[in-house]
Amino acid sequence: VQLQASGGGLVLAGGSLRLSCVASGVTFSSYAMGWFRQTPGKEREFVAAISWTGRSTYYADSVKGRFTISRDNAKNTVYLQMSSLKPEDTAIYYCAVDANRNWAHSETLRYDYWGQGTLVTVSS
């Protein structure tokens, strides 16, 4: 299984970015996908998750109303649209797949496969 995340970069506070994550080696359309983020010295934290159909989503309180997760099963891709970015959103963002469950959830340890991460830097 490989997950390739992209779309990170440097953006001013209040700006937007869209992250993408392409999966291979897994039946992408069958499983839940999640986005997480991590900063140095901190534990990886949940950001957003989406069910196998895309009909159900789940967000961390810190990003609710600003970030939107979506997926295109035909392209084996999950997206994270980030708007109204804040400096505290600066982190390495990781996508992950739970190859045992199809519902959206935030349980980090249940995600089996992870991408390499993409860096998002929000400057003030």
Side-chain angles (χ1 to χ4, degrees), residues 33 37 72 98 102:
M33 296 293 297
R37 65 187 181 187
D72 185 338
D98 181 343
N102 58 21

Side-chain angles (χ1 to χ4, degrees), residues 57-104:
T57 56
Y58 183 45
Y59 297 93
D61 288 343
S62 59
V63 306
K64 203 172 293 184
R66 300 188 298 121
F67 291 10
T68 301
I69 188 171
S70 62
R71 66 191 296 162
D72 185 338
N73 286 344
K75 296 182 178 179
N76 283 10
T77 303
V78 63
Y79 304 97
L80 186 68
Q81 177 67 48
M82 305 185 294
S83 303
S84 302
L85 283 161
K86 305 175 181 179
E88 52 263 43
D89 294 318
T90 295
I92 299 174
Y93 283 72
Y94 299 89
C95 58
V97 59
D98 181 343
N100 293 289
R101 294 163 187 81
N102 58 21
W103 62 89

Side-chain angles (χ1 to χ4, degrees), residues 9-116:
L10 174 64
V11 63
L12 292 174
S16 299
L17 277 176
R18 188 176 82 155
L19 306 183
S20 300
C21 174
V22 181
S24 60
V26 65
T27 308
F28 179 82
S29 59
S30 296
Y31 303 117
M33 296 293 297
W35 283 98
F36 297 77
R37 65 187 181 187
Q38 189 169 23
T39 54
K42 292 189 176 181
E43 289 188 0
R44 193 166 297 187
E45 67 169 348
F46 169 75
V47 175
I50 189 166
S51 65
W52 65 300
T53 60
R55 292 186 190 133
S56 176
T57 56
Y58 183 45
Y59 297 93
D61 288 343
S62 59
V63 306
K64 203 172 293 184
R66 300 188 298 121
F67 291 10
T68 301
I69 188 171
S70 62
R71 66 191 296 162
D72 185 338
N73 286 344
K75 296 182 178 179
N76 283 10
T77 303
V78 63
Y79 304 97
L80 186 68
Q81 177 67 48
M82 305 185 294
S83 303
S84 302
L85 283 161
K86 305 175 181 179
E88 52 263 43
D89 294 318
T90 295
I92 299 174
Y93 283 72
Y94 299 89
C95 58
V97 59
D98 181 343
N100 293 289
R101 294 163 187 81
N102 58 21
W103 62 89
H105 67 86
S106 62
E107 298 175 77
T108 307
L109 295 179
R110 296 194 181 275
Y111 284 85
D112 308 279
Y113 303 99
W114 296 79
Q116 85 289 0

